Amino acid sequence: MLEALRCSLRLALAWGSGCWRPAPRGPCAGAWPRRPLSRPAGRCVPPQLSAAARSRSRPMASPPSAAAALVLALARQDCSNGCSAECPGEAGSKEVVETFKAKDLIITPATVLKEKPDPNTLVFGTVFTDHMLTVEWSSEFGWEKPHIKPLQNLSLHPGSSAFHYAVELFEGLKAFRGVDNKIRLFRPNLNMDRMYRSAMRATLPAFDKEELLECIQQLVKLDQEWVPYSTSASLYIRPTFIGTEPSLGVKKPTKALLFVILSPVGPYFSSGSFNPVSLWANPKNYGSSLFAQCEAMDNACQQVLWLYGEDNQITEVGTMNLFLYWINEDGEEELATPPLDGIILPGVTRQSILDLAHKWGEFKVSERYLTMDDLTTAVEENRVREMFGSGTACVVCPVSNILYKGETIHIPTMENGPKLASRILDKLTGIQYGREESDWTITVS
């Protein structure tokens, strides 16, 4: 029964306007295909999801059952029960148009400040700064004033919808201390755009993206001494948005909490910065991405390469978007990455790499479908130059091996420099750490 209730929320979110949509990754991620293999033109796809989508599970390729349709009907039969009239497919909260304002920000400084860690010994995401940002919302009163306060535990009712139906999302961006000692954010507007889209999809309330960004900047300013004095470390910013209504009904929440925490971080992978990783590519689907990640580690791989469909299409890695630099089937030098068709995270670093490559104009740049057969054939024909992942956490990470169907496919990334991956990494970090001026950054202080 509990699983059915969980599924009903997923179905209500994923269905709209009479067309199939790939299901979001979660407990119900088995209801229907992530995308049709035939890839028809004009198919419906969901809004691009937040970074939280990376930790969600993968749907299995099976059509919706009669039982699933019944659960959907039950979830939709009473739109007065927490949903607006247009809830199927237009999921965002419409009751309150007001937003919190940065000018109303309340700041309560911590009276005891913690010791700052050595940036050379940081383990990713395990140390937190002195302060956090919180903003509460309710359908009755709208947004309350934003509040920066000492970092503290949250007090939530055990019936909160975030616990039971995954009404939640998160984002991820970084603050960098430049070589000029200025603190910069890298393309934060793209993160705010993505977070807003995710909020609409998760039936969480609308907010003003610029106001949230200004509040985040004030939080970073207050904790600016936590931004590492290092060009190999940074301050990770984790905006999070959860439903907090204490109710076991499957519906849009009438209460929510938006909060932001900060964590100084070094390299994401324990192997260090820009060291190649191995990927575990398995065509099986999972109800939990963490289970697959554990299997990858059991097979001496750092990450999972998610495959989709009968032809084992390459999608993304657990923490990264994926790029292939190769000579394609037509003999062209090409940088290719899977397209944003509704199941792949629209990464900020991914978009930045595409923007740079288009600007350079030195080779073909494509958002296209790639299969494991495409990759293995190209490796056998010596047409693969480099493969690398991209993401806020890792920036750019070379791929050296892929374990697929019990065999290791060696990718000659490091043997080829890697010239392109190194060039992209140098360009991006040059901008992030202030070695190069760019309108992609916002100076905080």
Side-chain angles (χ1 to χ4, degrees):
M1 178 63 182
L2 181 58
E3 287 303 314
L5 289 174
R6 285 176 173 165
C7 285
S8 66
L9 177 66
R10 290 298 179 197
L11 289 164
L13 295 182
W15 178 273
S17 304
C19 62
W20 287 109
R21 295 168 182 260
R25 303 162 192 169
C28 188
W32 55 77
R34 292 164 61 181
R35 65 169 173 258
L37 290 177
S38 57
R39 300 192 286 274
R43 67 183 182 278
C44 292
V45 295
Q48 304 297 344
L49 298 181
S50 173
R54 290 206 188 280
S55 64
R56 297 282 182 253
S57 57
R58 302 284 168 163
M60 294 188 293
S62 60
S65 63
L70 175 59
V71 174
L72 173 62
L74 292 172
R76 299 173 73 185
Q77 68 181 359
D78 184 8
C79 274
S80 65
N81 187 28
C83 283
S84 57
E86 64 277 12
C87 65
E90 297 293 335
S93 298
K94 304 294 185 182
E95 302 94 330
V96 179
V97 296
E98 293 81 12
T99 185
F100 55 88
K101 300 287 186 180
K103 65 180 179 62
D104 298 325
L105 184 63
I106 300 170
I107 299 179
T108 305
T111 55
V112 178
L113 302 182
K114 295 177 288 188
E115 184 178 353
K116 311 301 183 294
D118 181 348
N120 296 315
T121 61
L122 288 170
V123 177
F124 194 96
T126 60
V127 178
F128 298 93
T129 67
D130 295 309
H131 298 91
M132 65 189 300
L133 168 70
T134 64
V135 200
E136 295 187 41
W137 175 90
S138 69
S139 58
E140 182 178 3
F141 300 109
W143 285 102
E144 297 185 9
K145 293 182 179 180
H147 191 178
I148 291 178
K149 61 182 73 171
L151 182 73
Q152 56 196 261
N153 293 336
L154 300 177
S155 179
L156 296 175
H157 191 282
S160 296
S161 54
F163 297 145
H164 300 274
Y165 308 120
V167 184
E168 57 189 334
L169 62 94
F170 66 81
E171 264 297 329
L173 61 157
K174 287 180 177 178
F176 304 86
R177 187 178 297 277
V179 293
D180 54 2
N181 204 36
K182 292 181 180 180
I183 296 173
R184 295 174 175 85
L185 304 181
F186 181 76
R187 307 191 82 173
N189 301 92
L190 297 183
N191 294 95
M192 297 299 99
D193 290 342
R194 190 171 62 184
M195 185 171 180
Y196 187 90
R197 294 194 301 267
S198 296
M200 296 301 95
R201 178 65 182 272
T203 72
L204 289 165
F207 58 90
D208 188 296
K209 295 175 285 188
E210 293 183 0
E211 297 293 340
L212 174 56
L213 180 55
E214 178 59 33
C215 290
I216 290 174
Q217 291 185 73
Q218 293 302 318
L219 176 63
V220 174
K221 282 182 182 179
L222 185 60
D223 278 345
Q224 62 182 287
E225 284 305 306
W226 284 88
V227 183
Y229 287 81
S230 169
T231 55
S232 60
S234 56
L235 184 68
Y236 191 83
I237 304 169
R238 174 51 65 88
T240 309
F241 203 2
I242 62 175
T244 57
E245 179 184 0
S247 172
L248 299 183
V250 182
K251 60 177 183 175
K252 180 176 66 175
T254 60
K255 292 184 179 180
L257 173 66
L258 192 161
F259 64 92
V260 183
I261 54 177
L262 309 175
S263 175
V265 298
Y268 182 81
F269 295 109
S270 58
S271 57
S273 297
F274 209 66
N275 288 322
V277 297
S278 296
L279 306 180
W280 185 64
N282 195 305
K284 292 190 295 184
N285 290 280
Y286 294 84
S288 169
S289 61
L290 294 179
F291 182 80
Q293 176 62 29
C294 290
E295 287 202 348
M297 297 182 71
D298 289 342
N299 284 276
C301 296
Q302 285 78 31
Q303 284 286 302
V304 179
L305 172 57
W306 295 105
L307 305 179
Y308 169 74
E310 295 177 1
D311 54 351
N312 288 328
Q313 294 170 16
I314 294 169
T315 61
E316 61 183 355
V317 180
T319 58
M320 306 182 291
N321 293 116
L322 198 64
F323 285 85
L324 176 64
Y325 181 46
W326 68 334
I327 304 300
N328 66 20
E329 307 92 329
D330 299 322
E332 301 169 302
E333 183 180 358
E334 179 182 48
L335 178 64
T337 191
L340 300 181
D341 61 359
I343 65 170
I344 292 177
L345 186 85
V348 174
T349 309
R350 173 189 182 277
Q351 185 59 52
S352 301
I353 291 172
L354 290 173
D355 292 342
L356 287 175
H358 280 299
K359 183 179 179 180
W360 293 337
E362 299 172 10
F363 41 78
K364 185 176 182 179
V365 181
S366 303
E367 297 178 68
R368 54 166 288 183
Y369 293 102
L370 298 164
T371 68
M372 285 303 297
D373 283 347
D374 293 333
L375 178 61
T376 54
T377 299
V379 168
E380 292 170 358
E381 296 176 355
N382 199 30
R383 291 189 284 111
V384 173
R385 295 183 176 178
E386 302 176 29
M387 177 176 276
F388 54 88
S390 69
T392 296
C394 70
V395 189
V396 176
C397 180
V399 174
S400 59
N401 293 296
I402 298 176
L403 183 59
Y404 177 61
K405 294 183 176 180
E407 296 185 5
T408 298
I409 302 171
H410 179 65
I411 311 296
T413 304
M414 303 309 290
E415 290 88 332
N416 289 316
K419 294 180 180 179
L420 182 58
S422 297
R423 180 183 178 186
I424 291 171
L425 178 65
D426 290 344
K427 184 71 173 181
L428 292 176
T429 55
I431 293 172
Q432 292 167 344
Y433 290 101
R435 290 186 288 266
E436 181 176 334
E437 289 295 324
S438 172
D439 58 5
W440 283 358
T441 61
I442 292 178
T443 302
V444 175
S445 65

